Amino acid sequence: MEIDASGPAPASGPARAPLRRVLMLAALAGLVVLLLAAGNRLAQQRALGQGHLRAETALRLTVNALQADLARYEMLPQLIGDLDLIRQLAAAPGDPALRRATNQWLAAQNAALQSSNIYLMRPDGLTIAASNFGTAVSFLGQNFAYRPYFIDAMRGHPARFYGVGTTSGVRGYFFSAPVRDAAGGIAAVVAVKIGVDRIEEAWRGGDYQVMVTDPDGTVFLASDPGWLYHSLNPLTPVRLARTQAARRYADTALTEFPQAALHRAGVELLRLPHAGGGTRDFIAATQAMPGAGWRVHVLLDSAEAMAQARLMLASMVLLLAAGLSGALMLRQRRARIAERLAATAELEHRVIARTADLARVNQRLQQEIAERRATEAELRAAQASLVQVGKLAALGQMSASLSHEINQPLAAARNYADSAAILIERGDYPRARENIAEILALVDRMPAIGKHLRQAARQPGDGTGAVALAPLLRETRTIVAQRLAASGATLELDIPADLPPLCAGPTRLQQVLVNLISNAADAVEGSADRRIELAARAGDGRVTITVRDHGPGVPQAIAARIFDPFFTTKGIGAGLGLGLSITANILRDLGGQISLTDARPGACFRVSLPACPPEAAP
Ligand code: ADP
C-alpha cells in the first residue's frame, strides 16, 4: 500500500522559489560588494596610516638632524664678531693691512668650518671682508643692506635667513650677528653662509623624500631638485612682493604645485611631480621647525602602502571566499542531513502506516477466526441436530420397513386363515390344508427378518481363516443364480489362477459377495448392458475384488450415504437399506474395507482384504 503524505503543492510555489533564490543571490552579491568596498577602504586606511606613522618617525629624525646641523653654526657669527681682528677692522674699515689679514683669516676659517662663506659688512651694508675674496663671485664691495639677516643684526640681535645668494646664485642658510664697538654700538655685522647641498645630499637615497618649505609654503630644500621653488600655497601678490623685497630667491621664478593636496581613504596625501615624469602621491608628515619658521615635510610614496592595501584586500577576498565556501559547504551538509532526516522520517512514517495496516489486517483476521469458530460451533450444533434428525428419520424408515415386512405376511396369513375357515365350513379340506400350508410358509419367512437385523447389529457368525475365492464364488453363483435370472443379468468372473487365498470368514465373505452382486443385479435391471463383472487382483499383501455393473450408477448426492444403515432408494418392500451397511461392517471386522468408485455408466464397488500367507492356506 502506497501512502502519499504530501498534500498538493501551492500553485505559485515552484515559480516563487527560483525568484526568491535570485533575489537572495543578488542580496548576497550586493553584500559581498559592500564588504569588499568597506574592506578596501579599511585596508587603504590601515596601510596609509601605517605609512603615515613611518613618515612621522622619519620626520622626527630628519628635523632633529637638521636642527643639530644648523645649531653647529648658530653661535659662529657672535664668536667671530668677538674676535679682536674683526673688531679692529670694524673700527678701521679702510685699513688695507687689516682687511687683507681678515680676508685670509676668514677664508681659513671657512675652509675649516666647511661653510659656504664668512663675511663682514659695515653698518651701511657694504662688505669689507669676505672669505671668498679674490674670486669671481667675491662679496667684497657688495652691499647686503636689504637682506633680512643684515637688517635683523643691525637691530642688535643674532639672525638667520634662508635664500639664494644674489652674487653667487648659490642657495644657502645665513647666520648673522652684530659686531659691537667699545661703546657697545654696532660697528659691523658678521654673516656665515652655509651651503645646503650637503643637507640635501644626506636625504637622497632613502626610501622617503624630504622637502622644507619657508613660512610662505615655498620649497627651498628638497631631496628632489624638481620640487625647488614650487609653492604649496597659492602665490598671492603680497607674498610675491615680500619674497621679492628680501630677494630671498634672487631672480628665480616661483611656481605653484598643480593640485598638491588630495585625500584617499580619509588620509591626506600630496600629489607631486616626479623626477621621472608624471606625478606621485605621497603620504606626508609635516612638522614646523621652531626658531627657523620652516616646515619640514617627509614624503613616503603611497604606492607601496597601496600595494600593501591590495595585498590585504586580496587576503580579505580569499578569507571571504573561504568563509563563503565554508558556509556553502555547511549549508549543503545541513541540507544533506535534513534530506536524510526527511527520508528517515518518511520511512518511519511508512513503517508506522504499514504497521497500522498490518495491525488492522491482523485484527480483521482475528475477527474472521472468531467468526469462523462461531460458525463452526453453529455448524457442529446444526450437524448434531441433523444427526439426531437423521437418526429419527432412519428409525421411522426402519419401522416402516419392518411393519411392511411383518404386516404383509400377517395380512396374507389372515386372508389364508379366513379362506381356510370358509373351506373347512364347506368341507373342502384339501384346499383348506393348502391355505394352512401357505400360512405356515409365511410364518417361516418371519425369522428371516430377525436374521437381517441381527447381522445389521454385527454379530460375527464364523471365525476367520484362509479362504480361496474361486470355490467360494462358485458357491455364491448358485445362491444368486435366481436373482440374476430375475433381472436378466450375467455374472462374468475374472479370477487369476494364482490368486492367493484371503484372510476372512467364508460365510461373511460370501454374504459380502451376495450383497454386492444382488445390488448390481438390481441396478442393471432394465439396462441395455446387464453384465456384472467381478474381478480379483493381488498386490502388497492384499487382495482387491471389484464388482462392476453397467447400470445407472450411484448419484453423487447420495454416494456418501449409501453405507448408512437403512438408507435405500428402492422403495418400501424392495430393500431394507441394510445391505451395504452390513457389508461395510463385515469387512471392517475382517480387517478389510469397501469403497465406491465412480464408473459411470454404472457403479464399481472395490473391496480390499488382507491376503493370507501361504502357510495359513487350508
Ligand atoms: P438396499 O439394497 O436394500 O436398498 P443397500 O444397503 O444394499 O440397501 O443399498 C443401499 C442403496 O445403495 C440402494 O438403495 C441403492 O440406491 C444404492 N446401490 C447399491 N448398490 C448399487 C448399484 N450397484 N448400483 C446403483 N445403486 C446401488
Side-chain angles (χ1 to χ4, degrees):
M1 184 176 59
E2 203 57 48
I3 296 165
D4 185 10
S6 65
S12 59
R16 205 174 281 168
L19 186 71
R20 200 185 307 152
R21 182 164 290 188
V22 164
L23 284 177
M24 264 181 68
L25 275 177
L28 197 72
L31 193 73
V32 166
V33 166
L34 272 179
L35 267 176
L36 286 181
N40 187 35
R41 190 182 161 80
L42 210 73
Q44 284 189 359
Q45 244 172 0
R46 200 175 152 72
L48 292 173
Q50 279 175 350
H52 198 260
L53 278 178
R54 271 180 60 204
E56 273 187 334
T57 309
L59 175 69
R60 268 197 303 279
L61 292 172
T62 308
V63 168
N64 286 344
L66 194 61
Q67 261 178 334
D69 203 43
L70 296 179
R72 282 169 57 203
Y73 301 99
E74 183 96 67
M75 299 304 291
L76 213 55
Q78 275 171 287
L79 291 172
I80 292 170
D82 282 345
L83 288 172
D84 287 342
L85 182 64
I86 302 301
R87 282 179 177 231
Q88 283 166 14
L89 185 62
D95 186 334
L98 269 178
R99 285 177 85 159
R100 214 171 22 251
T102 307
N103 279 339
Q104 276 164 359
W105 186 81
L106 287 177
Q109 295 310 310
N110 188 52
L113 292 168
Q114 290 184 327
S115 51
S116 179
N117 226 332
I118 307 174
Y119 48 102
L120 188 72
M121 290 156 284
R122 283 195 326 211
D124 61 350
L126 190 80
T127 308
I128 50 172
S131 59
N132 59 356
F133 73 98
T135 63
V137 288
S138 171
F139 288 177
L140 289 175
Q142 299 279 334
N143 195 315
F144 296 116
Y146 57 91
R147 288 291 211 178
Y149 63 85
F150 177 82
I151 298 166
D152 284 347
M154 281 308 291
R155 284 184 188 140
H157 47 82
R160 49 171 71 182
F161 176 74
Y162 170 79
V164 176
T166 43
T167 314
S168 60
V170 175
R171 287 175 300 149
Y173 196 68
F174 300 84
F175 293 97
S176 64
V179 179
R180 303 273 176 184
D181 56 20
I186 297 168
V189 170
V190 178
V192 179
K193 182 184 176 187
I194 298 160
V196 290
D197 294 347
R198 198 171 32 83
I199 299 171
E200 285 179 336
E201 202 63 48
W203 292 339
R204 291 198 188 105
D207 58 351
Y208 53 87
Q209 309 272 10
V210 183
M211 66 180 188
V212 181
T213 50
D214 68 15
D216 289 327
T218 306
V219 180
F220 63 86
L221 286 178
S223 51
D224 185 338
W227 295 341
L228 286 171
Y229 313 118
H230 281 77
S231 178
L232 290 172
N233 301 333
L235 287 168
T236 57
V238 178
R239 277 189 54 206
L240 282 173
R242 192 163 53 228
T243 309
Q244 198 57 46
R247 298 212 60 211
R248 188 190 286 276
Y249 302 120
D251 300 323
T252 313
L254 302 184
T255 45
E256 283 177 27
F257 275 126
Q259 199 223 337
L262 70 148
H263 285 82
R264 180 164 297 162
V267 177
E268 200 175 335
L269 298 179
L270 277 182
R271 176 163 291 175
L272 300 176
H274 185 245
T279 57
R280 291 247 173 112
D281 295 339
F282 292 95
I283 303 165
T286 305
Q287 190 182 323
M289 217 170 90
W294 302 346
R295 290 191 77 78
V296 182
H297 308 261
V298 164
L299 303 165
L300 205 66
D301 197 338
S302 68
E304 193 190 324
M306 294 313 280
Q308 212 178 339
R310 277 196 295 277
L311 202 71
M312 271 160 81
L313 187 70
S315 343
M316 225 178 317
V317 167
L318 275 178
L319 215 71
L320 201 71
L324 268 177
S325 59
L328 215 67
M329 269 165 68
L330 203 73
R331 211 180 109 102
Q332 277 177 344
R333 213 176 113 100
R334 277 205 190 143
R336 267 208 302 280
I337 289 172
E339 256 172 41
R340 244 179 262 161
L341 280 179
T344 313
E346 169 71 14
L347 210 66
E348 274 174 14
H349 182 72
R350 282 191 185 182
V351 167
I352 289 167
R354 293 261 162 105
T355 311
D357 284 346
L358 280 177
R360 269 201 296 280
V361 169
N362 196 17
Q363 205 178 4
R364 214 163 45 228
L365 276 176
Q366 275 178 344
Q367 222 170 349
E368 272 178 24
I369 287 171
E371 278 171 14
R372 294 241 166 120
R373 278 195 183 141
T375 312
E376 202 180 297
E378 274 173 28
L379 268 176
R380 273 184 213 281
Q383 212 173 30
S385 72
L386 272 177
V387 167
Q388 193 60 26
V389 170
K391 277 182 186 165
L392 287 174
L395 201 63
Q397 218 168 15
M398 183 184 76
S399 35
S401 299
L402 280 178
S403 63
H404 180 80
E405 289 291 312
I406 294 165
N407 283 348
Q408 201 200 20
L410 277 179
R414 188 187 167 83
N415 282 343
Y416 283 124
D418 284 348
S419 302
I422 291 163
L423 289 169
I424 287 168
E425 273 179 17
R426 283 183 193 163
D428 191 350
Y429 296 109
R431 280 184 65 194
R433 202 174 287 123
E434 277 174 24
N435 276 16
I436 287 166
E438 286 291 339
I439 292 168
L440 288 173
L442 283 169
V443 169
D444 283 344
R445 270 173 59 195
M446 302 287 265
I449 299 165
K451 193 180 159 198
H452 271 301
L453 287 171
R454 261 204 322 278
Q455 278 176 345
R458 286 203 293 144
Q459 283 172 347
D462 55 349
T464 55
V467 179
L469 189 61
L472 190 74
L473 272 172
R474 273 197 292 278
E475 211 176 290
T476 308
R477 192 190 272 277
T478 32
I479 294 169
V480 295
Q482 208 185 345
R483 187 79 173 265
L484 290 171
S487 55
T490 55
L491 178 65
E492 295 175 2
L493 298 176
D494 173 13
I495 313 296
D498 58 348
L499 189 78
L502 295 95
C503 252
T507 318
R508 282 179 287 165
L509 181 57
Q510 192 166 57
Q511 175 75 48
V512 167
L513 295 171
V514 167
N515 277 351
L516 292 177
I517 294 165
S518 301
N519 275 347
D522 283 349
V524 298
E525 200 173 356
S527 294
D529 189 348
R530 298 187 187 177
R531 282 177 302 140
I532 298 167
E533 293 147 1
L534 194 151
R537 291 289 181 271
D540 292 337
R542 295 184 81 83
V543 173
T544 307
I545 304 164
T546 50
V547 180
R548 180 169 202 237
D549 64 63
H550 298 272
V554 182
Q556 191 66 37
I558 59 162
R561 296 169 60 200
I562 56 171
F563 296 100
D564 290 349
F566 302 112
F567 178 82
T568 178
T569 55
K570 291 179 185 168
I572 291 169
L576 268 175
L578 288 171
L580 285 179
S581 168
I582 290 166
T583 301
N585 281 340
I586 289 170
L587 286 170
R588 209 172 299 140
D589 289 339
L590 294 175
Q593 63 216 27
I594 183 166
S595 59
L596 169 68
T597 28
D598 198 12
R600 282 174 185 243
C604 179
F605 286 89
R606 180 185 298 265
V607 168
S608 162
L609 276 165
C612 238
E615 62 270 18

